[in-house]
């Protein structure tokens, strides 16, 4: 059966900083092969950058572990850019694109990858990304309350 790789990103401006999170869940049938959530801190982050960070994270794991797969995301922007349907006017995704491209092209066995848009409610990585962001922001708010 096929391997399904779900990716998702979230973004929030909190405590005078941009915070983004991402989630990755890879499964084959009902077996979870990989799951991961992460946080990105910085300035001038965007929702799209969080989505691309999820894709980069997937391919960093993927380069040694995955064969053919369907990559599923609820970001139409990401799916259309990675599939070549849209040309990006915003250059903020370019560093992410280079990392993804490197991970794909450096494999001897070029995998058969498909990219597909899905509704958010079907994205199995959504809770990972949302939970990571909520947990991080909650910890920051507790620290701020304790320091006052």
């Amino acid at each position: 059966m096929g391997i399904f790789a779900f990716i998702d990103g979230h973004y929030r401006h909190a405590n005078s900083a941009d915070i983004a999170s991402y989630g990755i869940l890879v499964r084959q049938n009902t077996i979870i092969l990989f799951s991961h959530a992460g946080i990105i801190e910085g300035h001038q982050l965007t929702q799209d950058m969080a989505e691309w960070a999820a894709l980069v994270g997937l391919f960093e794991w993927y380069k040694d572990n995955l064969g053919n797969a369907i990559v599923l995301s609820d970001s139409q922007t990401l799916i259309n850019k990675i599939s070549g349907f849209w040309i990006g006017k915003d250059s903020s995704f370019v560093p992410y694109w280079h990392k993804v491209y490197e991970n794909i092209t450096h494999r001897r066995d070029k995998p058969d990858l498909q990219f597909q848009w899905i509704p958010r409610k079907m994205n199995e990585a959504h809770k990972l990304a949302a939970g990571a962001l909520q947990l991080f922001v909650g910890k920051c708010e507790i620290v701020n309350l304790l320091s006052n």
Side-chain angles (χ1 to χ4, degrees):
M1 286 290 179
I3 295 174
F4 298 93
F6 297 86
I7 58 172
D8 196 25
H10 286 260
Y11 164 82
R12 182 170 170 188
H13 183 80
N15 301 324
S16 303
D18 292 332
I19 303 165
S21 65
Y22 61 91
I24 305 162
L25 188 135
V26 181
R27 69 172 171 80
Q28 185 171 21
N29 298 325
T30 59
I31 299 169
I32 295 175
L33 303 175
F34 177 72
S35 67
H36 177 72
I39 293 290
I40 309 162
E41 293 181 82
H43 298 288
Q44 300 178 346
L45 296 175
T46 65
Q47 176 73 31
D48 284 343
M49 291 169 85
E51 302 283 352
W52 279 93
L55 188 61
V56 168
L58 170 66
F59 281 109
E60 286 175 354
W61 173 79
Y62 173 95
K63 65 184 171 188
D64 297 321
N65 297 289
L66 220 59
N68 301 333
I70 299 174
V71 179
L72 303 142
S73 172
D74 57 36
S75 170
Q76 290 183 354
T77 301
L78 180 132
I79 294 297
N80 284 314
K81 283 182 180 175
I82 199 76
S83 300
F85 295 121
W86 291 358
I87 304 221
K89 294 178 185 175
D90 176 12
S91 62
S92 65
F93 79 95
V94 171
Y96 297 100
W97 167 251
H98 286 293
K99 288 181 182 178
V100 169
Y101 182 76
E102 286 173 15
N103 282 322
I104 293 173
T105 57
H106 288 167
R107 290 179 54 117
R108 286 187 209 151
D109 58 329
K110 300 296 183 233
D112 179 21
L113 293 174
Q114 297 176 33
F115 295 90
Q116 183 177 331
W117 177 84
I118 55 171
R120 177 170 287 145
K121 65 183 177 183
M122 293 177 61
N123 192 338
E124 296 180 25
H126 177 78
K127 288 183 182 178
L128 288 169
L133 187 64
Q134 189 61 37
L135 182 63
F136 184 83
V137 170
K139 284 183 179 179
C140 290
E141 289 170 356
I142 290 170
V143 169
N144 286 339
L145 287 172
L146 294 174
S147 63
N148 288 336

